[in-house]
Amino acid sequence: MKSTIELAERVKHLPPYLFDKIDKLKKQARGKGVDLIDLSIGDPDIPTPAHIVEALRAAALKPEHHRYPSYEGMLGYREAVASWYSRRFGVRLDPGTEVLSLIGSKEGIGHLPLAYVNPGDVVLCPSPGYPVYAIGTMFAGGEAYLMPLLEENGYFPDFSVIPDDVLKRTKLMFLNYPNNPTSAVCNREQFMEAIELAHRHNFIICHDAAYTEMYYYDRKRPMSFLELDGAKDVAVELHSLSKTYNMTGWRIGFAAGNADIIFGLGKIKTNLDSGVFQAVQEAGIAALNTGDTVLAPLRDTYRARRDTLYDGLRSIGIDALKPEATFYLWAKVPTGFNSEGFAVHLLENAGISATPGNGFGAAGEGYIRFALTVGVERMKEAVQRMRKVI
Ligand SMILES: *Cc1c(COP(=O)(O)O)cnc(C)c1O
């Protein structure tokens, strides 16, 4: 029976789910027995490395882990984070005050506005972008101001076009590099611009760093936002173990950076959740200590897929950004199509699902996102199928 109880306004006002139509068509296609090549989901197809699974198995047997964890995370986990930061980025963090465990970085993104945003406050969110930035803002009663990421600006926001009265009301800005969905990386000067703006207008920056380890060139490893002078005065950085270590199902990540902001986020968490299962944190420690002998072959796998898809798309006249990082490829839809039209065309005529760019925000119109989540042979097949329908 249908409930007669009305949904809360914040749920009623959720933006329409733009992938609805694609999801329905995907289901229909599968129902008809179509051999679907699914390039639409940002979820690694490769299993979690064995040493991490083993660490969970051993930790799960310890009764001390069966009790409530501490909301801020085990000290051992926070120390492993600090030591990883120091090795990878040369950034020093105090594990006691500058690191917080998260139940996946999505949780931190959703909760941070609750700690800092009042009704009427503005949160600057990239468009196209990970949808939780704007939705977390809305749940906190704030107003999302969308910053378009345009190709001509290297998919970095143009801060000079944000009106002064918006900046005056701004409490928080989300940034995400390497970027989902565009795969763009950004440089030191661009990050510096953001820090200067935050200092000038007294707001927080939350840098979503989910993809810093999914890179293709050892000489061009993506940087941490916290490497920059002054960053720790205004920023926290959120990391996810999900994509780097194929751990999307495990729900573990962390926030690092400014101690006051970490404290504010922690306040929300103590009142809403009880932290991450400690055995999963033990596995997280094993993950953060993973060496390049495990990670380099993973990068090679994604690089081979990227090359196959990128070269294939070029050969059939589809323009795309060649990713230096992330496992996404952001391509222009051919003339005569819009994002959704092209996604539907690929589904119905080639049995390929990909994500229409406008689903990540209006500024993504005209693009489509392919996830590199199938093997090289399947990717070749995808290119062959596209060749026939373009
Ligand atoms: C996948 C993803 C996340 C969420 O990661 P979890 O740690 O699994 O919650 C956050 N931000 C971006 C940009 C992502 O693509």
Short mmCIF file of all heavy atoms in Angstrom, two decimals, residues 144-165:
data_model
loop_
_atom_site.label_atom_id
_atom_site.label_comp_id
_atom_site.label_asym_id
_atom_site.label_seq_id
_atom_site.Cartn_x
_atom_site.Cartn_y
_atom_site.Cartn_z
N ALA A 144 23.62 25.85 -3.42
CA ALA A 144 24.76 25.48 -4.27
C ALA A 144 24.90 26.49 -5.40
O ALA A 144 23.92 26.76 -6.10
CB ALA A 144 24.57 24.07 -4.82
N TYR A 145 26.08 27.06 -5.56
CA TYR A 145 26.36 27.93 -6.72
C TYR A 145 27.26 27.10 -7.64
O TYR A 145 28.35 26.67 -7.23
CB TYR A 145 27.05 29.22 -6.28
CG TYR A 145 27.41 30.11 -7.44
CD1 TYR A 145 26.51 31.07 -7.91
CD2 TYR A 145 28.65 29.99 -8.07
CE1 TYR A 145 26.83 31.88 -9.00
CE2 TYR A 145 28.97 30.79 -9.16
CZ TYR A 145 28.07 31.74 -9.61
OH TYR A 145 28.38 32.53 -10.69
N LEU A 146 26.78 26.86 -8.86
CA LEU A 146 27.52 25.96 -9.74
C LEU A 146 28.60 26.71 -10.52
O LEU A 146 28.34 27.73 -11.15
CB LEU A 146 26.56 25.27 -10.71
CG LEU A 146 25.45 24.43 -10.05
CD1 LEU A 146 24.54 23.81 -11.10
CD2 LEU A 146 26.06 23.35 -9.15
N MET A 147 29.81 26.18 -10.45
CA MET A 147 30.94 26.75 -11.20
C MET A 147 31.16 25.88 -12.43
O MET A 147 31.60 24.72 -12.28
CB MET A 147 32.21 26.75 -10.35
CG MET A 147 32.09 27.44 -9.01
SD MET A 147 33.67 27.40 -8.11
CE MET A 147 33.81 25.65 -7.69
N PRO A 148 30.87 26.39 -13.65
CA PRO A 148 31.05 25.54 -14.83
C PRO A 148 32.52 25.19 -15.05
O PRO A 148 33.40 26.05 -14.92
CB PRO A 148 30.53 26.40 -15.98
CG PRO A 148 30.04 27.68 -15.39
CD PRO A 148 30.36 27.72 -13.95
N LEU A 149 32.78 23.94 -15.36
CA LEU A 149 34.12 23.50 -15.75
C LEU A 149 34.12 23.41 -17.26
O LEU A 149 33.45 22.55 -17.83
CB LEU A 149 34.45 22.13 -15.15
CG LEU A 149 34.30 21.96 -13.64
CD1 LEU A 149 34.77 20.57 -13.22
CD2 LEU A 149 35.06 23.03 -12.88
N LEU A 150 34.83 24.33 -17.90
CA LEU A 150 34.80 24.40 -19.36
C LEU A 150 36.11 23.93 -19.95
O LEU A 150 37.19 24.14 -19.37
CB LEU A 150 34.51 25.84 -19.81
CG LEU A 150 33.24 26.48 -19.22
CD1 LEU A 150 33.13 27.94 -19.65
CD2 LEU A 150 32.00 25.69 -19.62
N GLU A 151 35.98 23.30 -21.12
CA GLU A 151 37.15 22.78 -21.81
C GLU A 151 38.20 23.88 -22.02
O GLU A 151 39.39 23.66 -21.78
CB GLU A 151 36.69 22.21 -23.16
CG GLU A 151 37.80 21.49 -23.90
CD GLU A 151 37.30 20.87 -25.21
OE1 GLU A 151 36.08 20.95 -25.51
OE2 GLU A 151 38.16 20.33 -25.92
N GLU A 152 37.74 25.10 -22.43
CA GLU A 152 38.72 26.17 -22.73
C GLU A 152 39.46 26.64 -21.49
O GLU A 152 40.49 27.30 -21.60
CB GLU A 152 38.06 27.34 -23.46
CG GLU A 152 36.94 28.04 -22.70
CD GLU A 152 35.55 27.55 -23.12
OE1 GLU A 152 35.40 26.34 -23.44
OE2 GLU A 152 34.61 28.37 -23.13
N ASN A 153 38.97 26.30 -20.30
CA ASN A 153 39.69 26.66 -19.07
C ASN A 153 40.36 25.44 -18.45
O ASN A 153 40.67 25.44 -17.26
CB ASN A 153 38.73 27.28 -18.05
CG ASN A 153 38.10 28.56 -18.57
OD1 ASN A 153 38.72 29.30 -19.33
ND2 ASN A 153 36.86 28.81 -18.18
N GLY A 154 40.54 24.40 -19.25
CA GLY A 154 41.17 23.19 -18.72
C GLY A 154 40.31 22.51 -17.66
O GLY A 154 40.82 21.84 -16.78
N TYR A 155 39.01 22.70 -17.76
CA TYR A 155 38.06 22.11 -16.80
C TYR A 155 38.35 22.55 -15.36
O TYR A 155 38.17 21.79 -14.42
CB TYR A 155 38.02 20.58 -16.91
CG TYR A 155 37.56 20.11 -18.27
CD1 TYR A 155 38.46 19.55 -19.19
CD2 TYR A 155 36.23 20.24 -18.65
CE1 TYR A 155 38.04 19.13 -20.44
CE2 TYR A 155 35.80 19.82 -19.90
CZ TYR A 155 36.71 19.27 -20.79
OH TYR A 155 36.29 18.86 -22.03
N PHE A 156 38.82 23.78 -15.22
CA PHE A 156 39.01 24.38 -13.89
C PHE A 156 38.06 25.58 -13.81
O PHE A 156 37.85 26.25 -14.81
CB PHE A 156 40.47 24.81 -13.69
CG PHE A 156 40.82 25.12 -12.26
CD1 PHE A 156 41.10 24.10 -11.36
CD2 PHE A 156 40.83 26.43 -11.79
CE1 PHE A 156 41.40 24.37 -10.03
CE2 PHE A 156 41.12 26.72 -10.46
CZ PHE A 156 41.41 25.69 -9.58
N PRO A 157 37.46 25.85 -12.64
CA PRO A 157 36.51 26.97 -12.58
C PRO A 157 37.18 28.31 -12.86
O PRO A 157 38.35 28.51 -12.50
CB PRO A 157 36.02 26.95 -11.12
CG PRO A 157 36.49 25.70 -10.51
CD PRO A 157 37.61 25.17 -11.35
N ASP A 158 36.43 29.21 -13.49
CA ASP A 158 36.89 30.58 -13.68
C ASP A 158 36.32 31.39 -12.51
O ASP A 158 35.16 31.79 -12.52
CB ASP A 158 36.37 31.11 -15.03
CG ASP A 158 36.76 32.56 -15.27
OD1 ASP A 158 37.41 33.16 -14.37
OD2 ASP A 158 36.42 33.09 -16.34
N PHE A 159 37.16 31.62 -11.49
CA PHE A 159 36.67 32.29 -10.28
C PHE A 159 36.27 33.74 -10.55
O PHE A 159 35.49 34.32 -9.82
CB PHE A 159 37.72 32.24 -9.17
CG PHE A 159 38.08 30.83 -8.75
CD1 PHE A 159 39.41 30.46 -8.60
CD2 PHE A 159 37.10 29.89 -8.47
CE1 PHE A 159 39.76 29.18 -8.20
CE2 PHE A 159 37.43 28.60 -8.07
CZ PHE A 159 38.77 28.24 -7.94
N SER A 160 36.84 34.33 -11.62
CA SER A 160 36.61 35.76 -11.86
C SER A 160 35.16 36.06 -12.24
O SER A 160 34.73 37.21 -12.18
CB SER A 160 37.57 36.28 -12.94
OG SER A 160 37.18 35.77 -14.20
N VAL A 161 34.40 35.04 -12.64
CA VAL A 161 33.01 35.30 -13.04
C VAL A 161 32.02 35.10 -11.89
O VAL A 161 30.82 35.29 -12.06
CB VAL A 161 32.58 34.44 -14.26
CG1 VAL A 161 33.50 34.68 -15.45
CG2 VAL A 161 32.55 32.96 -13.90
N ILE A 162 32.52 34.72 -10.73
CA ILE A 162 31.60 34.53 -9.59
C ILE A 162 31.29 35.91 -9.00
O ILE A 162 32.21 36.64 -8.62
CB ILE A 162 32.21 33.62 -8.51
CG1 ILE A 162 32.65 32.28 -9.13
CG2 ILE A 162 31.21 33.38 -7.37
CD1 ILE A 162 33.39 31.36 -8.18
N PRO A 163 30.00 36.28 -8.93
CA PRO A 163 29.66 37.63 -8.43
C PRO A 163 30.11 37.83 -6.98
O PRO A 163 30.13 36.87 -6.19
CB PRO A 163 28.13 37.67 -8.52
CG PRO A 163 27.73 36.54 -9.41
CD PRO A 163 28.81 35.52 -9.33
N ASP A 164 30.45 39.07 -6.65
CA ASP A 164 30.93 39.41 -5.31
C ASP A 164 29.94 39.06 -4.21
O ASP A 164 30.33 38.61 -3.13
CB ASP A 164 31.27 40.90 -5.22
CG ASP A 164 32.78 41.11 -5.34
OD1 ASP A 164 33.52 40.11 -5.18
OD2 ASP A 164 33.21 42.25 -5.59
N ASP A 165 28.64 39.29 -4.50
CA ASP A 165 27.66 39.02 -3.44
C ASP A 165 27.56 37.52 -3.17
O ASP A 165 27.20 37.11 -2.07
CB ASP A 165 26.30 39.63 -3.78
CG ASP A 165 25.68 39.00 -5.01
OD1 ASP A 165 26.32 39.06 -6.08
OD2 ASP A 165 24.60 38.40 -4.90
#
